[in-house]
């Protein structure tokens, strides 16, 4: 089958990708968006917000909005303006010449599935999880990966933060604005965090530390009730009565298929020419968490999706149309 050609192809359907498609569609570019497919590893169209319950910090929703409802509205808005959405997952790209080539399905197929003059990458990033049974089911029900997003819901409660780096210390300090007590659980006896972040956490009277410890189980069906913690020096297992657990052991950008095709930084995020969304490849743009390791918010992702669409529109006008 001959490849399908399009002016602009968007890979990824979180807030960044869908916002990019809205702007591109309103510019009469007739974008094609590959929204991905559900998988056993938790991937699904709509990105991380599909696993989020109440979103209270997205502008325009004074009473808050459910994550899946927000993504459904964005998707409908994109389609209203003419975005064509395919529920398929890209498997390979070739950015060595234009038009850019994108494969779906068999990456070894001789012919690509799509040819695109411009590509916007918005494949996002995943929080690295602990891999515990029922961990995914409890996301949004006591388990979280974002203190800025969910800290407000834990007022007056006792919660745990997992990790030993700067992110974990930052999350723990932020959460003490709401929680009565925050326990940092770290698998070693010393932190990886910078000294200033360590000092802040250790000086905070609401923060305690559990050293040489790992979470091995989560208790609670409809909401987190407690966690099982194992001391990796003594093998002693204790139950910690917390109603919230924030996992802060890192994020991994979804950039595997772009390695060797585009410039990535040391952590695997796509390098963009700030303040634009241009990458080092002509006609390829990146937005959202796939290139943002600082903010990781739905609203900042949506904003960068807007920028990517405008960048792509202007590039197409100057180089193709």
């Amino acid at each position: 089958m001959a490849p399908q050609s399009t002016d602009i192809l968007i890979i990824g359907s979180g807030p960044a990708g869908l916002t990019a498609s809205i702007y591109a569609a309103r510019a009469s570019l007739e974008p094609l968006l590959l929204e991905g497919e559900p998988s056993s590893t938790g991937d699904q169209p709509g990105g991380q917000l599909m696993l989020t319950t109440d979103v209270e910090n997205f502008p325009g929703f004074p009473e808050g909005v459910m994550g899946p409802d927000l993504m459904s509205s964005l998707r409908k808005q994109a389609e209203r303006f003419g975005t064509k959405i395919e529920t398929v997952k890209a498997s390979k790209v070739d950015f060595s010449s234009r038009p850019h080539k994108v494969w779906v399905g068999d990456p070894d197929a001789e012919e690509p599935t799509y040819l695109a003059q411009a590509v916007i990458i918005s494949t996002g990033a995943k929080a690295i999880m602990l891999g515990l049974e029922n961990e995914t089911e409890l996301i949004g029900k006591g388990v979280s990966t974002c203190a800025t997003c969910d800290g407000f819901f834990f007022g007056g409660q006792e919660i745990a933060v997992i990790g030993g780096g700067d992110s974990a210390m930052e999350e723990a300090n932020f959460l003490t604005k709401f929680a009565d007590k925050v326990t940092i659980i770290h698998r070693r006896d010393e932190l990886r965090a910078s000294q200033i972040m360590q000092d802040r956490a250790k000086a905070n009277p609401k923060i305690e530390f559990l050293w040489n410890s790992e979470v091995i189980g989560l208790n609670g069906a409809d909401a987190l009730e407690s966690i099982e913690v194992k001391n990796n020096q003594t093998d002693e297992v204790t139950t910690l009565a917390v109603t919230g657990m924030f996992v802060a052991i890192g994020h991994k950008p979804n950039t595997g298929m772009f390695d060797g095709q585009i410039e990535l930084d040391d952590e695997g995020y796509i390098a963009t020419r700030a303040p634009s969304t241009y990458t080092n490849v002509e006609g390829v743009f990146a937005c959202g968490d796939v290139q943002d390791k600082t903010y990781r918010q739905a609203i900042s992702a949506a904003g960068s999706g807007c920028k990517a669409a405008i960048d792509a529109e202007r590039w197409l006008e100057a180089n193709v149309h």
Side-chain angles (χ1 to χ4, degrees):
M1 183 179 294
Q4 180 179 338
S5 295
T6 183
D7 266 352
I8 185 165
L9 184 143
I10 300 166
I11 306 175
S13 60
L18 285 171
T19 302
S21 72
I22 290 168
Y23 274 78
R26 282 177 54 83
S28 300
L29 292 173
E30 300 180 342
L32 171 64
L33 184 143
L34 310 184
E35 68 172 352
E37 295 175 318
S39 76
S40 59
T41 59
D43 294 328
Q44 60 181 311
Q48 296 295 301
L49 279 185
M50 295 299 291
L51 303 174
T52 305
T53 51
D54 293 320
V55 179
E56 293 198 328
N57 55 5
F58 199 92
F61 296 92
E63 304 302 321
V65 60
M66 298 291 284
D69 291 342
L70 176 59
M71 298 317 300
S72 176
S73 294
L74 283 172
R75 192 180 192 277
K76 290 174 182 176
Q77 191 174 3
E79 289 183 307
R80 175 193 164 199
F81 292 118
T83 299
K84 182 180 179 183
I85 298 177
E86 299 277 2
T87 308
V88 296
K89 185 175 181 179
S91 56
K92 186 175 82 170
V93 298
D94 181 356
F95 296 154
S96 61
S97 62
R98 295 206 309 268
H100 300 300
K101 303 175 183 66
V102 178
W103 279 257
V104 165
D106 183 5
D108 296 322
E110 184 175 346
E111 289 287 341
T113 314
Y114 304 103
L115 299 175
Q117 296 294 339
V119 174
I120 295 177
I121 301 170
S122 55
T123 48
K126 285 183 186 175
I128 300 171
M129 303 299 288
L130 300 177
L132 300 174
E133 185 180 358
N134 73 336
E135 184 177 33
T136 300
E137 288 79 5
L138 287 172
I139 289 176
K141 301 175 182 178
V143 175
S144 175
T145 61
C146 178
T148 305
C149 310
D150 299 330
F152 177 81
F153 300 113
F154 293 88
Q157 301 181 40
E158 294 190 6
I159 59 181
V161 172
I162 317 302
D166 279 355
S167 293
M169 299 308 107
E170 186 174 357
E171 299 256 294
N173 273 301
F174 178 82
L175 289 165
T176 59
K177 295 179 181 181
F178 312 101
D180 282 350
K181 178 183 175 182
V182 176
T183 301
I184 295 176
I185 301 173
H186 187 44
R187 59 183 177 177
R188 300 189 178 92
D189 59 3
E190 59 182 22
L191 300 169
R192 295 180 288 108
S194 59
Q195 193 61 49
I196 188 170
M197 295 301 291
Q198 291 191 42
D199 292 345
R200 285 178 188 168
K202 290 176 179 177
N204 192 316
K206 286 189 174 182
I207 294 178
E208 294 186 3
F209 290 85
L210 270 183
W211 303 105
N212 299 311
S213 298
E214 300 174 36
V215 179
I216 60 171
L218 307 177
N219 301 319
D222 298 323
L224 183 68
E225 299 172 359
S226 63
I227 60 178
E228 302 297 317
V229 182
K230 178 180 178 181
N231 184 297
N232 55 34
Q233 303 293 304
T234 65
D235 289 336
E236 180 184 5
V237 176
T238 56
T239 300
L240 189 64
V242 294
T243 50
M245 183 182 79
F246 288 75
V247 184
I249 56 177
H251 287 75
K252 182 179 180 182
N254 299 318
T255 54
M257 70 175 163
F258 306 114
D259 191 14
Q261 293 290 328
I262 201 166
E263 182 182 352
L264 307 177
D265 69 12
D266 292 341
E267 298 175 65
Y269 289 84
I270 295 177
T272 50
R273 285 187 250 155
S276 77
T277 62
Y278 280 74
T279 69
N280 68 312
V281 177
E282 282 291 312
V284 179
F285 308 84
C287 56
D289 289 4
V290 77
Q291 53 84 55
D292 171 23
K293 52 189 170 186
T294 303
Y295 300 105
R296 298 194 185 102
Q297 299 298 303
I299 190 64
S300 56
S304 70
C306 163
K307 290 166 59 177
I310 293 172
D311 286 343
E313 178 191 0
R314 292 173 177 171
W315 182 88
L316 284 166
E317 189 174 320
N319 294 275
V320 178
H321 295 160

